[in-house]
Each structure stands twice: as structure tokens, then as C-alpha cells.
């Protein structure tokens, strides 16, 4: 198992407790597909910065960059 939810959540909690920013690299769209509910939970509760490519973004959030980039720019700090 490449994703250990308990360890990941504990690390994110410790980071937040110590006022650190939490970043998450989604890694691959296959991982996102397999662990989508857990990743969404982690992102919404603890993650400040998500690193991903277009395929990973589309998989985790049904995000389609061409159509949704203006909405994303209004809601998030983006680095493209």
C-alpha cells in the first residue's frame, strides 16, 4: 500500500499544529483514482498547496483547466 492514510493525516496534523504549510503532490492520476475520497478529505482539512498535473487535477476535482482556470484563479493562489 503506497498510501498510508493514518501516517499522512498525522503528519499533516503535526504540521498544522506547528503553523507549517502543508503541500501534497498527488503523484499520479492512478493514485488519485484509487484514493480519491481519502485525498479529498485530506486536502479539505489540512492541505494548503496541491501539486498536480492536468490529469491529476481532472481526476481529483473534475477540473478541466481550459474551462475552469478563471474560476480557479478567483478561488486559489495558482502557479501555472
Amino acid at each position: 500500500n503506497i498510501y498510508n492514510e493514518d501516517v499522512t493525516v498525522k503528519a499533516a496534523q503535526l504540521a498544522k499544529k506547528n503553523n507549517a504549510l502543508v503541500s501534497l503532490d498527488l503523484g499520479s492520476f492512478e493514485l488519485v483514482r484509487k484514493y480519491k475520497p481519502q485525498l479529498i478529505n485530506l486536502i479539505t482539512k489540512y492541505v494548503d498547496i496541491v501539486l498536480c498535473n492536468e490529469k491529476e487535477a481532472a481526476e481529483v476535482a473534475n477540473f478541466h483547466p481550459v474551462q475552469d482556470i478563471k474560476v480557479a484563479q478567483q478561488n486559489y493562489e495558482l502557479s501555472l
Side-chain angles (χ1 to χ4, degrees):
N1 187 356
I2 194 166
Y3 176 71
N4 185 318
E5 186 175 9
D6 294 334
V7 171
T8 305
V9 169
K10 183 66 174 173
Q13 289 172 336
L14 288 170
K16 287 299 189 184
K17 182 179 177 182
N18 289 285
N19 298 314
L21 290 175
V22 174
S23 65
L24 177 67
D25 188 331
L26 294 181
S28 75
F29 72 91
E30 291 94 350
L31 287 174
V32 173
R33 186 175 292 150
K34 185 172 182 179
Y35 299 106
K36 185 174 181 175
Q38 297 94 323
L39 290 171
I40 289 173
N41 183 54
L42 183 69
I43 290 167
T44 57
K45 288 184 178 179
Y46 305 108
V47 176
D48 300 297
I49 302 165
V50 176
L51 306 168
C52 60
N53 63 32
E54 184 177 330
K55 288 181 181 180
E56 295 157 359
E59 189 65 41
V60 77
N62 297 323
F63 180 76
H64 304 283
V66 174
Q67 296 90 350
D68 298 340
I69 196 69
K70 290 181 182 179
V71 173
Q73 286 176 322
Q74 293 171 355
N75 295 302
Y76 305 101
E77 183 175 337
L78 295 179
S79 175
L80 303 172

